[in-house]
Amino acid sequence: MLEIKPIFNALLRSKVGAVLLLIQIAITTAIVSNAAFIINDRIEYLNQPTGYQEDNMFKFNVMMFGTDVDLIQQVELDEATLRQMPGVVNAVHINAVPLTGGGSSTTFRLKPAPDKAKTDNASYFETDEHGLDTLGVELIAGRNFTQDEVVINRDFSKHPNVALATKALMDEFFPDGDGLGKILYMGDQPLKVVGIIGMMKGPWLKLEERKDKSVILPLLYPHKLQQFLVRTEPGQRAEVMKQIESVMHQSYGKRVIQDLTGLDKKKANYVAEDLLMMRMLVILISVLVLVTALGIFGLTLFNINKRTKQIGTRRALGARKSAIVKFFVVENSIICLAGLVLGVCGAVVLGQQLMTQYSVPALSYEYVAITALGVFVMSLLAVIGPAKRAANIAPSIATRTI
């Protein structure tokens, strides 16, 4: 049976190396567990369903510099022209594009302002009766608004009186699921919810409180800078995008086409920082694990070289190779377990600080446990090679006086 006391004695004679390795294991456990949790959270964030056919949609801006045109008539003509293009499913003038990080939001209420009532914040999209089909989202209850319900506004003197709202928003106001046909107030303006939409992300995926809450308003307010959203047949987007500039200039030439970009590319630009952070964390984890493994490997080799005579003596007294290997494995396990205890405590504290300072979700203890187990297994694998090398030291050489 292996004696623990000689192992502790050996560690006490090499305190510095053992303490440094213990600290390294603790730091690795604390950082890797939190980094792995953040990476998984970012993966779920980047892969979350949006409700849109991102690969089949694109947007573009139109900057008008001509003064000899009626903006409302031109917008209606442009929409009709876009819808007639081969490969186009639908197209619409819209005030904001989802998944881009930029748009409009406001507070919706159950009573008109300034009366006290339940409120919730949501993004809103201003478009016409083609907006729902262009967005390609699912209408799960009620109906779309009609052409007659679309308000064409030149001076903000008119307001729509109907709207479409996402299920996430309506469930906040009406938990019993009876929100269809009810009235929401945008300030003091009443809006009858005639349709409820299923999954539909807004412009801001990072704002948890309103990323699933959106309202579509039947409102058209053209100005010199216009924004269009187009949905195409699968596989036809690239070809349609090539023709946009020429088609729009044929209709009216005194304008510039800007930011002609696929919706998936706009989303990728929006989440680029999150993707970069995730990749950096992956590199950080890889470096930490590699450095820790090399530290264990190096410390074991150092101890072998330092204890060559001791190992040879034990071999000469009949110690088996397996006993030598077990000695170094147990020694390393003691250091590793002590480091893991500190590392687990450090991981919990670090997770709480990240949650407080940077609004990171609360660390799941499952990641701490998996990381600790992974570090322990990695430490065992790192020590086995040097331990076997120690076991192969010949007694005749090891016991020779130097």
Side-chain angles (χ1 to χ4, degrees), residues 96-239:
V97 176
L99 313 182
T100 60
S104 302
S105 69
T106 191
T107 299
F108 291 88
R109 312 165 52 89
L110 286 180
K111 292 182 180 179
D115 295 349
K116 291 185 178 180
K118 181 177 177 58
T119 64
D120 206 348
N121 194 270
S123 57
Y124 64 88
F125 298 91
E126 298 171 354
T127 183
D128 61 24
E129 73 276 11
H130 294 275
L132 184 67
D133 185 49
T134 303
L135 290 166
V137 292
E138 180 184 7
L139 186 68
I140 60 176
R143 63 173 178 84
N144 189 16
F145 38 70
T146 64
Q147 184 178 3
D148 294 337
E149 292 171 323
V150 178
V151 174
I152 300 176
N153 211 334
R154 295 180 184 272
D155 55 5
F156 292 105
S157 60
K158 300 179 181 178
H159 302 278
N161 54 25
V162 297
L164 307 176
T166 59
K167 184 177 184 299
L169 178 63
M170 297 307 291
D171 285 347
E172 288 290 327
F173 285 116
F174 307 99
D176 295 333
D178 56 347
L180 184 65
K182 298 295 179 63
I183 302 296
L184 294 182
Y185 288 87
M186 188 174 179
D188 59 353
Q189 298 297 321
L191 297 168
K192 182 179 180 180
V193 179
V194 298
I196 298 179
I197 303 166
M199 172 65 70
M200 177 181 169
K201 300 294 185 182
W204 304 282
L205 291 176
K206 299 177 183 179
L207 298 178
E208 191 67 32
E209 70 275 9
R210 67 173 181 243
K211 68 177 182 180
D212 295 312
K213 301 171 186 176
S214 296
V215 173
I216 302 179
L217 303 173
L219 179 63
L220 184 63
Y221 177 66
H223 40 82
K224 288 187 177 294
L225 179 60
Q226 303 163 8
Q227 193 165 221
F228 290 89
L229 185 65
V230 181
R231 181 162 71 92
T232 68
E233 297 286 354
Q236 298 296 309
R237 187 178 71 175
E239 184 61 31

Side-chain angles (χ1 to χ4, degrees), residues 6 25 61 64 87-88 93 118 135 165 191 199 201 207 224 226 258 265 268-269 301 305 322 360 363 384:
I25 290 173
N61 297 339
M64 305 285 288
V88 172
H93 177 276
K118 181 177 177 58
L135 290 166
L191 297 168
M199 172 65 70
K201 300 294 185 182
L207 298 178
K224 288 187 177 294
Q226 303 163 8
Q258 303 172 328
K265 182 62 181 299
N269 293 338
L301 282 180
N305 293 330
S322 59
V360 175
L363 174 65
I384 286 176

Side-chain angles (χ1 to χ4, degrees), residues 13 71 78 91 98 108 146 155 164 197 235 266 279 333 339 357 364:
R13 288 193 296 268
L71 292 179
D78 290 338
F108 291 88
T146 64
D155 55 5
L164 307 176
I197 303 166
K266 295 297 292 186
R279 289 173 176 171
S333 298
Q357 301 295 329
S364 172

Side-chain angles (χ1 to χ4, degrees), residues 29-30 32 38 53 68 77 87 99 110 135 158 174 176 186 191 199 222 252 282 286 323 327 331 358 363 394:
T29 304
V32 168
I38 293 173
Q53 302 175 25
D68 56 342
L77 176 61
L99 313 182
L110 286 180
L135 290 166
K158 300 179 181 178
F174 307 99
D176 295 333
M186 188 174 179
L191 297 168
M199 172 65 70
Y252 182 72
V282 170
S286 302
F327 179 93
E331 180 183 80
Y358 301 101
L363 174 65

